[in-house]
Amino acid sequence: MTKHEHDSLVRRQFGATAGNYRRSTSHARGRSLARLLELSAPQPCWQVLDVATGTGHTAAALASHVDVVIAGDMTPEMLQQAAIVHEEQALRNIYLVQEDARALAYRNNTFDMVVCRVAAHHFPDPDRFVAEGARVLKPGGCFALVDNIVPDDERTSAWINDFERRRDPSHARCLSVPEWRNLFTGNGLEWVHEEVHPKRFDFHDWMRRMNVPAETMQRMEHELLTAPDAIRRYWQPERDGSRVALTLQEAILIGRP
């Protein structure tokens, strides 16, 4: 898939589901958001860049702690939903920008913090994203990444990423923690902190967030519940009556230039 084709797919997919993400509790108030604030310790003088802001929940959480937040996303409908979130909270120091994470339109050493939360698995070139984020960070700044991860096992990670792409065709690839570490250090970022937390989901809500058709959802539910042992150990799928739950693994990673 070419860059243009992938970008068009992302805009179509998230343009159609933007409202679902504005209402998503895990995006608005997930455990990783509070922990991200704790680890990054944002300061009142900071200029922050929120890459792939989506519907703007991370930018909103940071806004009351810093001077300015630039919140970028390539999907106009996502930015429209972010504007609603920020208006509801009367936030006046967030500026929404349509942009590509692989080509940030800022000078070197501009921001005190670059953050990207639960979005990088949509980037077809994560190395380019990290390079751009590192480039626009001031010396001593904070590069903060939160994203779903896969185990450091090729067969298991391939199964998980294939499943994710069938749920969401704009999904590129979840990386493992060692892969992220290599990208950080390869782009001049000191590896400062890593932690991984389980994130329990209702399977059907997770599917409906991307408007997955009922027939496809039913087929993928069966595949999940009968998946190979390694997948079931990692995602922990479980049926309770009509409800099906699974556990994604979410990493919080901090680097500094």
Side-chain angles (χ1 to χ4, degrees), residues 24-25 55 57 81 92 99 105 111 124 132 149 155 197 207 228 237 254:
S24 169
T25 301
T55 52
H57 295 297
Q81 295 295 319
R92 300 289 180 256
E99 66 182 6
F111 296 99
E132 280 290 272
I149 57 165
R155 180 173 295 182
H197 299 282
M207 289 280 153
I254 305 291

Side-chain angles (χ1 to χ4, degrees), residues 8-19:
S8 296
L9 178 58
V10 168
R11 284 190 287 266
R12 287 196 307 272
Q13 193 75 12
F14 283 98
T17 60

Side-chain angles (χ1 to χ4, degrees), residues 11-251:
R11 284 190 287 266
R12 287 196 307 272
Q13 193 75 12
F14 283 98
T17 60
N20 297 343
Y21 278 83
R22 178 169 64 85
R23 294 183 289 270
S24 169
T25 301
S26 66
H27 287 78
R29 296 185 296 277
R31 176 182 182 182
S32 65
L33 189 51
R35 183 63 175 146
L36 179 66
L37 292 173
E38 182 180 359
L39 289 169
S40 60
Q43 301 299 307
C45 62
W46 277 13
Q47 312 284 311
V48 175
L49 176 64
D50 181 17
V51 177
T53 191
T55 52
H57 295 297
T58 302
L62 282 161
S64 62
H65 299 275
V66 302
D67 183 27
V68 170
V69 181
I70 306 296
D73 202 279
M74 70 161 49
T75 304
E77 291 87 349
M78 282 292 210
L79 294 173
Q80 291 165 8
Q81 295 295 319
I84 294 172
V85 170
H86 301 158
E87 183 63 31
E88 288 174 344
Q89 298 182 42
L91 299 171
R92 300 289 180 256
N93 62 334
I94 302 177
Y95 299 90
L96 299 173
V97 179
Q98 187 175 358
E99 66 182 6
D100 185 343
R102 294 160 295 187
L104 300 174
Y106 310 104
R107 294 178 180 176
N108 296 355
N109 310 326
T110 297
F111 296 99
D112 301 281
M113 179 179 184
V114 172
V115 60
C116 181
R117 178 170 170 261
V118 199
H121 54 272
H122 295 287
F123 300 163
D125 188 357
D127 182 57
R128 186 61 189 162
F129 149 65
V130 175
E132 280 290 272
R135 177 184 66 79
V136 302
L137 263 180
K138 295 177 182 178
C142 176
F143 190 106
L145 175 73
V146 180
D147 205 20
N148 302 331
I149 57 165
V150 291
D152 192 21
D153 171 78
E154 187 174 342
R155 180 173 295 182
T156 303
S157 64
W159 194 100
I160 288 172
N161 279 310
D162 175 71
F163 194 89
E164 286 262 31
R165 275 188 290 271
R166 286 186 289 130
R167 168 187 171 262
D168 172 8
S170 70
H171 177 88
R173 188 166 73 92
C174 291
L175 276 63
S176 66
V177 170
E179 286 177 301
W180 279 120
R181 185 186 299 112
N182 289 339
L183 291 185
F184 275 44
T185 57
N187 285 288
L189 294 172
E190 179 187 0
W191 187 257
V192 175
H193 182 84
E194 68 178 74
E195 58 186 65
V196 177
H197 299 282
K199 186 167 60 173
R200 196 72 172 161
F201 274 106
D202 180 276
F203 173 81
H204 299 110
D205 287 347
W206 187 52
M207 289 280 153
R208 283 191 289 266
R209 192 182 304 154
M210 297 310 297
N211 296 336
V212 175
E215 182 178 340
T216 303
M217 191 187 309
Q218 184 177 11
R219 182 171 63 252
M220 292 182 70
E221 176 185 319
H222 176 75
E223 290 179 23
L224 178 66
L225 293 171
T226 58
D229 289 346
I231 305 300
R232 285 187 280 118
R233 283 195 300 269
Y234 196 74
W235 266 3
Q236 302 168 36
E238 184 178 37
R239 179 188 292 282
D240 182 7
S242 62
R243 184 176 182 271
V244 175
L246 74 157
T247 300
L248 304 187
Q249 302 298 321
E250 185 175 70

